[in-house]
Amino acid sequence: MTGRTRPGARRPAAVAVAAVVLVTGVQLSGASPASADGKRPAQAPAGTTDASELPRIDPTDPGLKMRDGATLAAPRVLDIVSIVETEGGEERREETTTSLTLALQAEVLFGKNSSALSPQASGRIAAIVNEIRKNRPNRVRVFGFTDDLGTYEHGQKLSTERAQAVHRAVSGQLDDPAVTYEVRGYSEDYPIADNSTEDGRRKNRRVEITFPTGAGG
């Protein structure tokens, strides 16, 4: 990681989360949805909890370890309903009151360092397409991520190509011209697990498919 360029990478210093979290062995999966501007995965829409109920964070606390000149964003409550993943973490599902994110580890879709979908990926893609059909959204986001091994630039290229491959498969099976797609690769940015272990890196190597749920999606 030393000496590598990290274009556009920002890491929040602290976030207050109000959530009911369920972690069990279940089917399908999901992870962080995208922001409206598409520049980074964003948190779920703010909930109804009053701002006065949010925990107070001292921006001068040295334990925050913020970069020089960095400031804290305004606190907010995140409306996360549930996070469910398979025992091995191959599939992860994150559902809020307004959106659903399904994440698949790269190993269940691609060969090592490859962006070509494996034969066994078709069943996983079909399950995601069924979820999209049930919710009938008008937009779908497909984001790719890698671990922090190798160069950032290589991770950017690989994560983008993998997101594009999943997009082609999903849009081909869905065959719905009313749905628009946003497809991006984020390299090692926004990990969901610890990159210092192989288990964590495996979870970070993933493709996320996010779409609105409910009316007006």
Side-chain angles (χ1 to χ4, degrees):
M1 292 298 299
T2 303
R4 286 190 288 146
T5 302
R6 301 287 305 278
R10 296 185 178 87
R11 301 185 187 275
V15 179
V17 178
V20 177
V21 180
L22 308 175
V23 180
T24 64
V26 177
Q27 299 176 351
L28 276 183
S29 61
S32 307
S35 64
D37 61 11
K39 293 181 180 178
R40 54 163 292 178
Q43 305 296 346
T48 58
T49 302
D50 189 273
S52 63
E53 299 178 27
L54 295 173
R56 300 294 180 182
I57 299 174
D58 181 2
T60 64
D61 187 341
L64 291 177
K65 298 180 180 178
M66 297 174 63
R67 299 192 307 271
D68 291 342
T71 58
L72 289 176
R76 57 178 177 162
V77 175
L78 307 179
D79 188 19
I80 298 177
V81 175
S82 68
I83 299 175
V84 181
E85 66 179 30
T86 55
E87 185 175 355
E90 294 88 356
E91 303 183 15
R92 187 171 184 268
R93 178 189 186 101
E94 182 176 311
E95 192 166 7
T96 77
T97 55
T98 58
S99 69
L100 175 62
T101 299
L102 306 171
L104 296 175
Q105 286 183 12
E107 279 79 354
V108 306
L109 296 172
F110 309 98
K112 184 176 181 181
N113 207 33
S114 171
S115 60
L117 287 168
S118 60
Q120 60 267 33
S122 59
R124 313 272 184 159
I125 299 295
I128 289 173
V129 169
N130 286 337
E131 291 275 4
I132 297 173
R133 285 194 178 115
K134 284 193 299 183
N135 287 279
R136 303 177 66 182
N138 56 26
R139 63 188 186 279
V140 174
R141 288 168 170 143
V142 185
F143 291 163
F145 304 86
T146 63
D147 58 30
D148 66 351
L149 300 181
T151 66
Y152 186 91
E153 291 73 16
H154 175 71
Q156 184 74 59
K157 181 176 183 292
L158 182 61
S159 62
T160 299
E161 290 175 349
R162 284 176 168 176
Q164 290 170 340
V166 171
H167 161 247
R168 286 192 296 270
V170 169
S171 61
Q173 289 192 31
L174 188 61
D175 192 24
D176 186 347
V179 177
T180 59
Y181 294 87
E182 181 180 352
V183 184
R184 292 178 181 268
Y186 286 95
S187 190
E188 67 198 57
D189 291 337
Y190 316 112
I192 58 173
D194 186 355
N195 269 314
S196 67
T197 68
E198 176 52 31
D199 181 63
R201 289 191 293 270
R202 187 181 303 112
K203 290 184 178 182
N204 290 332
R205 298 190 294 265
R206 69 198 190 278
V207 175
E208 299 178 357
I209 299 90
T210 301
F211 48 89
T213 56

